[in-house]
Amino acid sequence: MRASDAERERVAEALREAVAEGRLDMEEFEERLEKTYKARTHGELAPLVRDLPTPGVRTPAPAAPEASGGVDWPSRIGGEATSRGAFAFWGGFGRKGTWTIGRKFTAFAMWGGGDIDLREARFESAETVIRCFTIMGGMGVTVPPELTVRVRGFGLMGGFGDKATGEGTPGSPRVTVTGFALMGGIGVERKQRKAAKRGLGGTPRKELG
């Protein structure tokens, strides 16, 4: 949900009170304040005051584990991006594991390929756009079943596959995958997270499909 100017100002006031009470030092206060005024959504505001008393500040209630498919989305939204793009020329690239994707991520592959795996990733923003471009190459984007995804790419003498468009669980980030494939292929598909495959007791589950 988009944040209003009034909500940003309430968060800023909570930060000012926190630094006055000694809960934050000046460096951390200035860093959080800057992020507050740049925030566009509740998902970006919530982490800035999660560890502070914030009376009167409306932040999204965390979804129950059952409702969110066992994913703690609030803890995975916010923070500095570790990658905002990827490039491959006569080679390949991979982004997987517990990396943090930028709010805008651009990937390009020419005579090469790449993999973008969001199953264990963190998100700089609750709204993320992934732009994929390939020329005579291939690229794959893997997302978990709990993530909200829209795919809007196209192919020219190639293909832009979509097996992932759909709504995620409450509180999930919203990811848009766009771009084009020229004499190549880009595919977007859903796969279970490794932890979900193993199940709560560590026993592997059989993946459907």
Side-chain angles (χ1 to χ4, degrees):
M1 188 177 295
R2 305 286 289 193
S4 67
D5 287 339
E7 287 166 330
R8 279 186 283 269
E9 191 54 46
R10 285 198 291 270
V11 170
E13 183 58 32
L15 294 174
R16 294 186 190 101
E17 291 179 7
V19 74
E21 294 170 354
R23 300 179 190 273
L24 296 175
D25 59 31
M26 283 304 299
E27 182 178 354
E28 189 172 13
F29 165 71
E30 291 171 358
E31 180 182 347
R32 292 194 190 193
L33 190 64
E34 181 181 1
K35 290 181 179 179
T36 296
Y37 287 116
K38 289 182 178 179
R40 296 182 180 179
T41 66
H42 288 163
E44 294 172 90
L45 285 176
L48 301 175
V49 292
R50 184 174 292 128
D51 58 347
L52 301 173
T54 54
V57 177
R58 184 167 65 89
T59 56
E66 298 81 7
S68 59
V71 182
D72 182 10
W73 287 124
S75 72
R76 290 176 59 178
I77 300 173
E80 183 109 13
T82 59
S83 183
R84 300 184 186 276
F87 177 84
F89 180 74
W90 284 102
F93 69 80
R95 298 290 186 276
K96 58 184 64 178
T98 55
W99 63 297
T100 302
I101 184 171
R103 71 177 67 213
K104 289 185 179 180
F105 183 92
T106 302
F108 177 81
M110 183 174 183
W111 297 320
D115 292 306
I116 303 168
D117 192 333
L118 301 181
R119 288 178 292 175
E120 306 296 336
R122 292 178 54 88
F123 299 82
E124 180 185 35
S125 171
E127 298 280 351
T128 301
V129 177
I130 301 176
R131 299 180 294 183
C132 298
F133 306 97
T134 185
I135 300 174
M136 299 181 70
M139 202 178 301
V141 181
T142 305
V143 302
E146 302 86 2
L147 190 67
T148 297
V149 179
R150 296 288 182 272
V151 179
R152 296 173 180 167
F154 66 94
L156 179 61
M157 292 187 289
F160 206 114
D162 176 14
K163 296 182 180 179
T165 289
E167 294 298 315
T169 54
S172 81
R174 290 170 290 278
V175 174
T176 299
V177 183
T178 184
F180 71 86
L182 176 62
M183 294 185 289
I186 296 171
V188 187
E189 62 179 341
R190 292 183 183 268
K191 288 185 179 180
Q192 285 186 331
R193 293 174 297 120
K194 293 179 180 179
K197 287 182 182 180
R198 288 192 294 267
L200 296 178
T203 302
R205 286 184 193 163
K206 183 177 180 181
E207 188 172 348
L208 298 178

